[in-house]
Structures are given as C-alpha cells and as structure tokens.
Amino acid sequence: MKSKYAVIKASSRVLKSTPHKLNLVAGLVRNKKVSFATVQLRFCEKKAADLITKVLNSAIANAQHNYGLDVDDLYIKEVLVGKSFTLRRVCPKAMGRANRVNKYYSNITIKLEEIV
C-alpha cells in the first residue's frame, strides 16, 4: 500500500569516498526500518557508515519537520549511491615515469517511506 505522503528524501553530493565502499555499507540498511538501520550504522566500523548516517539523519529530520511523521513508522525505501567526479593526480616513479592516481567522489540519496 502506498503512503499518503510523498517520498521523503535527503541527499549528499561530493563525498570523499568511492561508490563501491559506500555501496557495501548501504547494502546493510536497504529496505530496513529506520530504527534498525541507525543501530546497524552506529556499530559499523567503516568511514562510509558515518557518511550514510549523516544523510539518514537528514532524511529523518525532513520527515519529522516537513510531514510530522513518527520515526518508528519509517523504513528506508531506497539508497542510491552514484559516482561524482574523479580527481586525477600524478605520482612520480623511477626513471622519469609517472603513474596516475584517481581519487573518487560519490553522491548518496536516501528515500524514506511510511509503513502503512
């Protein structure tokens, strides 16, 4: 059944982490209740967990402030992790050679929905 409210969402752009690393942590909380997801992220020992926690807390605040929803009635409908830009740097090597070092950035969008 659909909720009477629009989908609540929050996003963050240009996060200094690779999409692959963020997606590993995002898989822990997809399609879970918000209360369970916050506990999972709190005890996860990866840097990506802190980044996802910030976006999730923003989505929860949006639900409470904009729609007056209770946190216990929310679940995570979707966690989208995508590529942002890539910084390309050069690392000098022996005999005048150089290697490229890619520094990846990511975007996260979290969509919440009310349990009916």
Side-chain angles (χ1 to χ4, degrees):
M1 294 175 66
K2 287 207 167 197
S3 172
K4 63 182 177 179
Y5 299 106
V7 176
I8 299 108
K9 70 181 188 179
S11 63
S12 182
R13 298 185 50 182
V14 191
L15 297 171
K16 181 62 185 98
S17 183
T18 66
H20 184 260
K21 291 177 183 178
L22 283 171
N23 223 358
L24 287 174
V25 177
L28 292 173
V29 296
R30 278 193 179 100
N31 301 317
K32 303 278 194 291
K33 287 188 72 168
V34 168
S35 56
F36 178 76
T38 53
V39 173
Q40 280 285 92
L41 291 171
R42 185 176 301 139
F43 293 106
C44 184
E45 296 181 354
K46 292 186 174 287
K47 175 187 164 186
D50 294 335
L51 299 172
I52 292 176
T53 301
K54 287 181 182 181
V55 181
L56 180 60
N57 288 338
S58 176
I60 292 168
N62 289 343
Q64 289 175 332
H65 183 266
N66 298 341
Y67 298 101
L69 298 176
D70 187 24
V71 179
D72 297 329
D73 298 336
L74 296 174
Y75 79 99
I76 299 174
K77 181 180 180 186
E78 213 172 52
V79 181
L80 301 172
V81 177
K83 286 184 189 178
S84 187
F85 61 86
T86 302
L87 286 180
R88 293 183 173 90
R89 297 290 180 252
V90 175
C91 181
K93 295 293 181 183
M95 292 193 272
R97 296 187 182 121
N99 281 357
R100 183 189 290 179
V101 176
N102 292 326
K103 299 183 180 222
Y104 298 100
Y105 286 76
S106 306
N107 301 327
I108 301 177
T109 302
I110 294 181
K111 295 181 182 179
L112 303 179
E113 201 169 71
E114 188 180 23
I115 297 172
V116 180

